[in-house]
Amino acid sequence: PRLSKTAAKAWKWVPIKPGAEGAMALALIRWVMENKRYDVKFLANANKAAAIADGEPSWSNASWLVKVTDGKTGDFLRAQEIGLTKKETKKDKDGKDVTVFTLGSNEYAYDLLVCLKDGRPVAFDPNDEKTAVEGDLMVDTRVDGVTVKSSMQLLWESASSKKFDEWAKICDVRPSDLEDL
């Protein structure tokens, strides 16, 4: 909100009301999403392998599923919670009990995350460099009795909880100034 030396060099300075940075961010997010000015290809990449396949430098959690209970968001959905992986206790090389999660013939030391692809649940390891997984961005559904939403859906719901003009009013700026940004 302060016109610093750095801000004075910008092409546009928008003196928002102090403390309204969150409202400004949500206004800009709403505008970007309504106008489809986001990178679908990048955001759909659920893991490292998908990013590599698409020539992207990284991946996103936008398609990852989040559990929703009584209208409140919780943790990311895990594959074992909907029967995609199986939890087992095995002995390691030292004879100690260790928990592993299996998916097909593959074993993991932790339970995999889940996204939907074309409406079907897919378990994935975000750091996997071999099996590319891309997910649906806008998800609000139930999977095996668990209510879930994608991270992108939750972001949209937050940004759309107020009209663009209402966000601008909270910031104490003209909506056109935010649109210019």
Side-chain angles (χ1 to χ4, degrees):
R2 185 174 73 81
L3 183 57
S4 64
K5 287 181 182 182
T6 304
K9 295 177 183 182
W11 68 272
K12 185 168 187 78
W13 173 58
V14 180
I16 68 170
K17 181 178 170 181
E21 294 85 0
M24 182 179 179
L26 288 167
L28 297 177
I29 289 167
R30 181 180 176 119
W31 188 92
V32 165
M33 292 181 79
E34 282 181 333
N35 291 280
K36 307 230 183 286
R37 299 295 295 268
Y38 51 91
D39 186 346
V40 172
K41 183 178 170 184
F42 169 77
L43 292 172
N45 290 331
N47 68 356
K48 189 172 188 175
I52 292 168
D54 285 345
E56 296 285 354
S58 189
W59 60 99
S60 165
N61 71 357
S63 67
W64 299 7
L65 298 182
V66 178
K67 295 182 285 185
V68 180
T69 306
D70 298 325
K72 296 187 188 320
T73 57
D75 297 330
F76 287 117
L77 179 67
R78 296 299 184 147
Q80 195 252 335
E81 294 174 296
I82 58 169
L84 294 178
T85 57
K86 192 168 121 184
K87 183 178 179 179
E88 300 178 44
T89 303
K90 293 189 169 189
K91 301 281 185 193
D92 68 6
K93 63 181 179 176
D94 298 325
K96 293 181 184 176
D97 286 343
V98 293
T99 301
V100 295
F101 295 88
T102 57
L103 177 65
S105 61
N106 297 322
E107 288 186 354
Y108 300 88
Y110 56 90
D111 200 6
L112 302 177
L113 296 164
V114 181
C115 67
L116 291 187
K117 180 60 178 171
D118 299 324
R120 296 178 134 151
V122 177
F124 66 93
D125 173 357
N127 296 304
D128 184 345
E129 295 183 11
K130 295 181 179 144
T131 307
V133 175
E134 294 180 346
D136 302 334
L137 293 179
M138 303 307 284
V139 176
D140 181 356
T141 191
R142 289 179 66 77
V143 178
D144 283 357
V146 180
T147 302
V148 294
K149 294 182 181 190
S150 63
S151 296
M152 184 85 164
Q153 177 71 36
L154 292 168
L155 180 61
W156 167 246
E157 289 175 7
S158 291
S160 67
S161 67
K162 295 191 184 322
K163 294 179 181 173
F164 186 80
D165 291 355
E166 292 173 318
W167 288 123
K169 186 175 181 178
I170 292 169
C171 296
D172 198 24
V173 297
R174 295 185 311 254
S176 61
D177 286 336
L178 293 179
E179 287 175 349
D180 287 347
L181 292 177

